[in-house]
């Protein structure tokens, strides 16, 4: 494999940090050219120096001076704001863009990079939830590969490498079930922020951990799979698999099922997206099946996890509704993290915003941006009225 020059957007988050760990293990194969962070100036500075990058973007203007003062003596260029990230990912010095930002803000730089013909290692699922049809159509038109980083989608992608062009009849999307899998609805009604942040299998950022506790994350992943693999949502079956060893499966018309497995470790799908189609060594824990003993599976409980149903409703309606759902969820999760609303109010806010959003069947990028902003504001107002 020829050396790849990377842009890592969201380098100070969980995925970004693990991507840099992968880069450290294969510094002969990867060169980091561009890093971006939202707020975490100190870590961004440290990463930029360690990986000797060409440039960095700090999105929060207030942190610009601090980053510029620290990095300019090292000859590292410092920019500020998301607009700069959109421009810099298009540079001739970038071979591939890892989008590891959290939330809707990943959409614009992803579109910019696709327009510039840069292969995308996609870790920002909200991009496909909100703008799936636009992003995938653009990627097809520009013939840009979108390589999934999410563990389930990487699994499906890897299973499809064994499909030899045969049609798949079903995707079995596995879910750990999150921290509330064994809780009753009554217990969940009183769930606190710290209860929801205790994920049993994956160590991730706060936003996605709350999304896992509501299973909105699995709903998002269903939508993500629908777009990445051009599947009907009714052909995607969610199965709870608490051990998180099988990362997802595909089924063919003859009933044969292919699964992809490993211990839960995001570095594996991150590395495979960055090195695709080559497989590189990784210092992770390997599977010992005799030690594992058994793998178990359950049906998801749509009563306890209403957000899962909302995601199926949103993709069935289509158009700009999944975007409204995502925006309302971002606002509701932020409010839950600040103890302003209860666990079940997250789903209530999302449902209400979805119902009150003016429907657009074929939204443009501008429509999507507008739906996102309006839904976020409306969700904020609804939350304020709840917490008063
Ligand atoms: Mg996942």
């Amino acid at each position: 494999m020829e050396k790849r020059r990377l842009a890592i957007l969201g380098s100070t988050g969980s995925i970004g940090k693990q991507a840099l760990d992968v880069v450290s293990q294969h510094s002969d194969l990867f060169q980091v050219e561009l890093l971006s962070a939202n707020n975490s100036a100190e870590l961004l500075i440290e990463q930029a120096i360690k990986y000797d990058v060409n440039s960095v973007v700090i999105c929060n203007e207030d942190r610009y001076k601090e980053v510029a003062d620290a990095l300019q003596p090292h000859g590292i260029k410092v920019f500020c704001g998301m607009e700069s990230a959109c421009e810099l990912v298009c540079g001739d010095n970038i071979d591939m863009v890892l989008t590891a930002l959290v939330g809707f803000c990943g959409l614009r730089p992803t579109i910019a990079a696709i327009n510039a013909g840069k292969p995308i290692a996609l870790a920002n699922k909200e991009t496909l939830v909100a703008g799936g049809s636009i992003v995938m159509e653009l990627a097809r038109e520009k013939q840009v590969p979108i390589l999934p980083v999410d563990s389930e989608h990487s699994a499906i992608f890897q299973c499809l490498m064994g499909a030899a062009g045969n049609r798949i009849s079903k995707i079995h999307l596995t879910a750990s079930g999150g921290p509330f899998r064994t809780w009753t609805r009554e217990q969940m009604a009183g769930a606190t922020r710290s209860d929801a942040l205790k994920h049993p299998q994956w160590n991730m950022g706060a936003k996605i951990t709350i999304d896992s506790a509501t299973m909105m994350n699995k709903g998002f992943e269903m939508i993500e799979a629908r777009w990445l693999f051009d599947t009907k949502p009714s052909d995607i079956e969610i199965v709870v698999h608490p051990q998180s060893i099988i990362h997802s499966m595909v089924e063919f018309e003859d009933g044969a099922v292919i699964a992809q497995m490993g211990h839960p470790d995001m570095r594996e799908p991150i590395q495979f997206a960055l090195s695709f189609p080559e497989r590189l060594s990784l210092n992770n824990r390997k599977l010992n099946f005799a030690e594992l003993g058994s793998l178990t599976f359950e049906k998801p409980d749509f009563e306890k996890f209403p957000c899962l149903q909302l995601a199926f409703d949103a993709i069935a309606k289509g158009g700009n509704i999944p975007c409204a759902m995502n925006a309302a969820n971002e606002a509701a999760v932020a409010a839950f993290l600040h103890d302003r609303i209860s666990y079940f109010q997250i789903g209530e806010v999302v449902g209400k915003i979805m119902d009150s959003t003016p429907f657009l069947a074929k939204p443009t990028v501008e429509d999507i941006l507008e739906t996102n902003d309006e839904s976020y504001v409306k969700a904020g107002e609804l939350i304020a009225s709840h917490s008063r």
Side-chain angles (χ1 to χ4, degrees):
M1 171 183 144
E2 237 175 85
K3 196 164 188 165
R4 290 185 183 166
R5 297 165 302 170
L6 308 175
I8 301 179
L9 303 183
S11 66
T12 56
S14 173
I15 298 286
K17 286 191 273 191
Q18 294 179 80
L20 287 172
D21 184 35
V22 165
V23 167
S24 296
Q25 289 191 42
H26 298 286
S27 50
D28 50 331
L29 296 174
F30 301 113
Q31 161 67 32
V32 185
E33 288 288 303
L34 171 67
L35 295 175
S36 90
N38 196 18
N39 263 317
S40 307
E42 271 166 49
L43 182 56
L44 180 66
I45 292 165
E46 189 187 311
Q47 291 175 338
I49 296 170
K50 179 169 176 196
Y51 293 92
D52 189 24
V53 307
N54 179 285
S55 29
V56 302
V57 178
I58 179 84
C59 290
N60 182 347
E61 267 177 51
D62 299 340
R63 311 299 298 267
Y64 171 79
K65 193 178 176 313
E66 178 187 349
V67 178
D69 287 349
L71 294 181
Q72 276 160 355
H74 293 269
I76 297 168
K77 293 171 222 139
V78 180
F79 300 85
C80 152
M82 197 54 93
E83 277 313 311
S84 306
C86 291
E87 269 171 44
L88 291 163
V89 292
C90 303
D92 286 339
N93 62 330
I94 306 290
D95 296 321
M96 186 178 230
V97 180
L98 171 64
T99 61
L101 310 125
V102 179
F104 182 82
C105 65
L107 182 71
R108 280 169 54 230
T110 305
I111 288 178
I114 296 172
N115 267 319
K118 309 294 183 187
I120 308 289
L122 186 91
N124 174 255
K125 63 189 84 189
E126 291 91 344
T127 291
L128 288 185
V129 172
S133 66
I134 294 167
V135 170
M136 293 313 288
E137 211 177 291
L138 186 65
R140 263 191 299 273
E141 183 196 319
K142 302 281 175 185
Q143 297 186 323
V144 166
I146 308 273
L147 298 152
V149 169
D150 210 345
S151 61
E152 293 79 0
H153 305 80
S154 175
I156 297 163
F157 181 76
Q158 293 180 55
C159 292
L160 287 173
M161 290 166 71
N166 285 292
R167 204 184 81 83
I168 54 169
S169 57
K170 199 179 251 182
I171 288 174
H172 297 272
L173 189 70
T174 53
S176 72
F180 302 139
R181 183 177 63 88
T182 58
W183 289 38
T184 63
R185 219 189 128 85
E186 291 67 39
Q187 287 174 309
M188 287 161 78
T192 63
R193 172 179 183 272
S194 74
D195 294 328
L197 283 173
K198 281 182 204 125
H199 196 279
Q201 295 296 352
W202 296 95
N203 184 7
M204 310 174 286
K207 161 75 170 39
I208 187 173
T209 304
I210 301 301
D211 285 343
S212 297
T214 62
M215 290 192 77
M216 180 56 99
N217 181 56
K218 209 49 60 178
F220 283 174
E221 290 183 355
M222 176 273 294
I223 297 176
E224 193 183 0
R226 180 260 171 273
W227 291 117
L228 282 171
F229 308 110
D230 199 15
T231 330
K232 280 189 281 182
S234 56
D235 290 339
I236 303 173
E237 195 157 298
I238 294 169
V239 60
V240 175
H241 165 45
Q243 297 84 13
S244 298
I245 296 294
I246 296 183
H247 298 315
S248 278
M249 306 174 257
V250 299
E251 183 178 319
F252 296 91
E253 287 176 296
D254 59 0
V257 174
I258 299 184
Q260 190 268 334
M261 301 183 227
H263 283 291
D265 182 340
M266 282 309 294
R267 292 175 308 157
E268 195 194 306
I270 293 168
Q271 177 169 290
F272 191 59
L274 297 182
S275 69
F276 178 79
E278 250 181 74
R279 288 191 186 272
L280 308 175
S281 65
L282 185 64
N283 69 346
N284 56 352
R285 186 170 157 220
K286 307 297 191 277
L287 284 177
N288 178 327
F289 285 94
E291 228 168 66
L292 278 176
S294 61
L295 299 177
T296 60
F297 305 93
E298 304 162 10
K299 256 191 175 166
D301 186 335
F302 282 78
E303 299 281 305
K304 266 167 55 177
F305 300 102
C307 288
L308 206 47
Q309 186 60 51
L310 290 173
F312 277 95
D313 295 347
I315 194 70
K317 286 183 187 147
N320 62 336
I321 302 301
C323 171
M325 171 186 72
N326 176 66
N329 183 63
E330 280 192 35
V333 169
F336 177 77
L337 282 170
H338 287 97
D339 295 322
R340 294 181 57 208
I341 58 172
S342 70
Y343 173 86
F344 281 116
Q345 282 177 324
I346 298 175
E348 284 168 27
V349 168
V350 173
K352 281 184 187 156
I353 297 302
M354 278 168 61
D355 289 343
S356 66
T357 299
F359 179 65
L360 299 169
K362 278 224 154 277
T364 60
V365 179
E366 289 69 35
D367 293 333
I368 288 292
L369 294 170
E370 208 167 291
T371 296
N372 176 71
D373 293 351
E374 281 174 8
S375 306
Y376 194 88
V377 169
K378 272 197 297 181
E381 288 164 5
L382 191 57
I383 289 160
S385 72
H386 271 313
S387 42
R388 226 176 273 140

